[in-house]
Amino acid sequence: MRIVHFEKGGVPGIAADDGSGWHGLTERESGFPGTLPELIAQGADLLRTGSALLPMHAIDLNAVRILPPVPKPPKILCVGLNYDDHLEESGLKSRSIPKFSRATRRV
């Protein structure tokens, strides 16, 4: 199950896809469960929410603006192993280094 937070004409919406295509609702429609950020903040059962969206009308993702699921995260954590020193620090230096890990130009 995949869930997306979107906006169409300035109106937020939510849609789900279980492999059969995207289906969902906008805030102006009856049965709208809330935006994805609101549901995440409430600890909602997203599998249940997504399942309830599947019988709703089809949503063309090319006709809407996709929004981030968490628009203003309190922090962002990144893990980078694309530099030799990061690989060495993590003890992964002995493993094969991916081709994309070598910088071609230094600034």
Side-chain angles (χ1 to χ4, degrees), residues 18-32:
D18 67 350
S20 63
W22 292 97
H23 294 84
L25 296 168
T26 65
E27 187 175 57
R28 292 186 180 152
E29 296 175 286
S30 176
F32 180 71

Side-chain angles (χ1 to χ4, degrees), residues 39-59:
L39 295 169
I40 291 170
Q42 296 166 5
D45 181 343
L46 294 179
L47 185 56
R48 177 180 280 163
T49 301
S51 295
L53 291 169
L54 295 175
M56 302 305 165
H57 62 82
I59 301 291

Side-chain angles (χ1 to χ4, degrees), residues 40-86:
I40 291 170
Q42 296 166 5
D45 181 343
L46 294 179
L47 185 56
R48 177 180 280 163
T49 301
S51 295
L53 291 169
L54 295 175
M56 302 305 165
H57 62 82
I59 301 291
D60 178 3
L61 292 189
N62 293 316
V64 300
R65 186 171 79 120
I66 304 296
L67 300 173
V70 181
K72 295 180 182 179
K75 64 172 102 168
I76 298 173
L77 304 175
C78 301
V79 177
L81 296 175
N82 56 336
Y83 296 100
D84 288 343
D85 28 339
H86 290 155

